[in-house]
Amino acid sequence: PDTIISPTAQPIIILNNYAFVNAWFFNNIKEVKNDDDEILSLGNTDLRSTAIMQKEMISKISAKSGKGKGTIELKSYKPNKLVYEIDSDGENLALFSEIFTEKGWTAKLDNKEIPIARANYLIRAVSVPSGKHSLEFKFDLPSYRTGEKVSLAGSVLVLAVFFFALYKKLNASPV
């Protein structure tokens, strides 16, 4: 659990028992029909042990229930790459406090790509087999790379025009 430090003259540290960690195992899946049901279920479900998922997302994961035991530790964090070390006591379902998106993110468990599902309306879920594993989430969207190249080409063009104009000004003969 995280702590909250009160902004009073005399600092008070309050334990926040409602805070979630970066990742955790869960035991059960509560199947819902649509986005509305998924959001409405958030308020009446124990989210520490149950994941709320729609049928098409449940089909992306191999484990349909788990022991909920083991450890998940965030080892490395960059905005486009997260690496977790996992020790799972049996086949488990894992939730990650990271926003789920359909495109761009991939998950590799021990360098082998695995599907990512959406749970609790907006976070990532994956199946994890028994044992020690390395899990890597990586963002790599081809259109993003193309945009970076176009942006770089535009910047180079602007600099070239600037230096050409500067060169012309410095070498211009006085009239």
Side-chain angles (χ1 to χ4, degrees), residues 1-6 12-19 48:
D2 285 343
T3 56
I4 301 171
I5 300 175
S6 172
I12 300 170
I13 298 176
I14 304 167
L15 188 62
N16 182 357
N17 292 319
Y18 299 104
R48 294 194 189 282

Side-chain angles (χ1 to χ4, degrees), residues 95-132:
L95 281 177
F96 297 85
S97 295
E98 298 290 333
I99 301 297
F100 171 86
T101 56
E102 288 285 339
K103 297 178 181 175
W105 285 98
T106 57
K108 289 188 177 182
L109 186 70
D110 299 329
N111 293 319
K112 185 177 179 185
E113 193 164 329
I114 61 170
I116 306 170
R118 185 184 81 180
N120 299 353
Y121 190 71
L122 75 150
I123 62 176
R124 299 179 198 156
V126 298
S127 293
V128 179
S130 181
K132 292 186 181 212

Side-chain angles (χ1 to χ4, degrees), residues 9 28 39-40 62 70 92 159 174:
N28 307 302
I39 289 175
L40 291 172
S62 60
N92 265 310
L159 285 172

Side-chain angles (χ1 to χ4, degrees), residues 56-118:
E56 72 265 9
M57 290 295 157
I58 294 171
S59 68
K60 290 184 172 190
I61 56 175
S62 60
K64 303 305 180 211
S65 66
K67 293 181 178 185
K69 293 185 179 176
T71 59
I72 305 173
E73 184 180 349
L74 181 61
K75 294 305 247 180
S76 169
Y77 174 84
K78 292 180 184 174
N80 63 339
K81 184 180 176 182
L82 297 100
V83 178
Y84 291 89
E85 188 176 278
I86 299 174
D87 190 0
S88 179
D89 187 15
E91 186 172 29
N92 265 310
L93 304 164
L95 281 177
F96 297 85
S97 295
E98 298 290 333
I99 301 297
F100 171 86
T101 56
E102 288 285 339
K103 297 178 181 175
W105 285 98
T106 57
K108 289 188 177 182
L109 186 70
D110 299 329
N111 293 319
K112 185 177 179 185
E113 193 164 329
I114 61 170
I116 306 170
R118 185 184 81 180

